Amino acid sequence: MSATPNTRDTTWRDTTLTETRWLRYTLTAVALAFLALFLILPLVVVFTEALRVGLAPYFSAITEPDAVAALKLSLLVVAMAVPLNLVFGLFAAWAIAKFRFPGRSFLTSLIDLPFSVSPVIAGLVYVLLFGAHGWFGTWFADRDIQVIFALPGLVLATIFVTFPFVARELIPLMEQQGTDEELAARTLGASGMQMFWRVTLPNIKWALLYGSLLCSARALGEFGAVSVVSGHIRGETNTMPLQVEILYSEYSIQAAFAVASLLALSALLTLALKALLEWRFARELAHH
């Protein structure tokens, strides 16, 4: 019984090392060329154009009042949208992975809805709902609450386009873990909160951080949905992607690339943190 797997393994290794070596090299070269052309080259262009006229104009562009306001607004939207998505994603993943109920598959499909709906359509939906002539616009206007062309609209649009990220990271992991540890904790007399803080949360903490990181990166770079609901008010409702668009349309090319470089830096930081979390999560799985 043991000879057959070893023979198969040897044959497979020999095949991959000799007959298909050219294919591996070709696929690797194609993948690297694709990454260089569509990912690395654009990043190089962004930083090259941002610094083309020197450091002084670069720092002047990113410290200009409208750029600073756009940065602060982007970070504020992220700070509001991500925790809400974290709570939603955690509750949704817990319900889907730990329980069986009517409509479970439908809920799972709804979580994926933002992946298939254009962000522009999502923004238009919020305008129809909360705009001056929308379904709920009059009610909010009577109470002097502005949703569209204000911070609440930006947060709502960002939540819509980013809410699958946390849930989609947690659902497969929680389904794989099952309910044995929670049931054991319940048998030992743990309360619901004790079970969550001491059993469930430690088991999903890295996936939760990973999903929150992806959610933050997506929220920071969102353009389509927030463009529709923002009104493009400089210094008030323009996030960083919208500020880049305005600067570029005004032919302030260097300033546009300077602000874009901040988004590129955030993407690189996200990549580094993503790699760190994957490494840390892999180590923890290996220890278990």
Side-chain angles (χ1 to χ4, degrees), residues 23-42:
L23 181 60
R24 296 204 317 273
Y25 290 161
T26 301
L27 292 177
T28 302
V30 170
L32 291 176
F34 187 90
L35 291 174
L37 180 62
F38 292 100
L39 294 178
I40 298 176
L41 182 60

Side-chain angles (χ1 to χ4, degrees), residues 3 25 81 125 134 152 161 167 179 193 212 253 270 284:
Y25 290 161
V125 168
V161 299
T179 59
M193 290 301 296
S212 300
I253 306 300
T270 299
E284 185 166 294

Side-chain angles (χ1 to χ4, degrees), residues 51-187:
L51 298 169
R52 182 167 51 87
V53 294
L55 286 175
Y58 174 81
F59 286 112
S60 177
I62 63 176
T63 56
E64 190 263 338
D66 287 344
V68 173
L71 174 60
K72 290 181 178 179
L73 181 60
S74 294
L75 295 177
L76 179 60
V77 170
V78 170
M80 297 177 70
V82 172
L84 292 173
N85 275 331
L86 191 151
V87 173
F88 165 80
L90 181 58
F91 287 173
W94 199 342
I96 291 172
K98 303 296 184 180
F99 305 105
R100 297 294 180 267
F101 54 90
R104 178 175 175 271
S105 298
F106 181 65
L107 176 59
T108 305
S109 300
L110 282 181
I111 291 175
D112 292 333
L113 184 63
F115 289 141
S116 58
V117 174
S118 168
V120 175
I121 300 301
L124 287 174
V125 168
Y126 283 114
V127 171
L128 292 174
L129 289 175
F130 301 108
H133 304 288
W135 291 6
F136 309 112
T138 303
W139 188 89
F140 282 103
D142 291 341
R143 288 154 180 80
D144 198 26
I145 301 175
Q146 187 172 358
V147 177
I148 303 302
F149 308 149
L151 177 62
L154 299 176
V155 174
L156 287 174
T158 303
I159 288 175
F160 178 86
V161 299
T162 58
F163 77 74
F165 288 95
V166 175
R168 269 299 162 199
E169 289 299 321
L170 294 179
I171 290 173
L173 178 63
M174 296 179 77
E175 286 182 335
Q176 181 183 7
Q177 290 175 346
T179 59
D180 292 344
E181 293 187 19
E182 282 88 354
L183 291 175
R186 178 70 74 181
T187 302

Side-chain angles (χ1 to χ4, degrees), residues 184-229:
R186 178 70 74 181
T187 302
L188 293 173
S191 64
M193 290 301 296
Q194 288 175 327
M195 182 176 64
F196 173 76
W197 288 108
R198 297 184 180 182
V199 179
T200 303
L201 188 59
N203 286 337
I204 63 171
K205 60 182 178 181
W206 296 113
L208 193 63
L209 287 173
Y210 187 72
S212 300
L213 177 64
L214 296 179
C215 182
S216 300
R218 181 71 175 86
L220 193 61
E222 172 54 29
F223 177 83
V226 298
S227 178
V228 175
V229 301

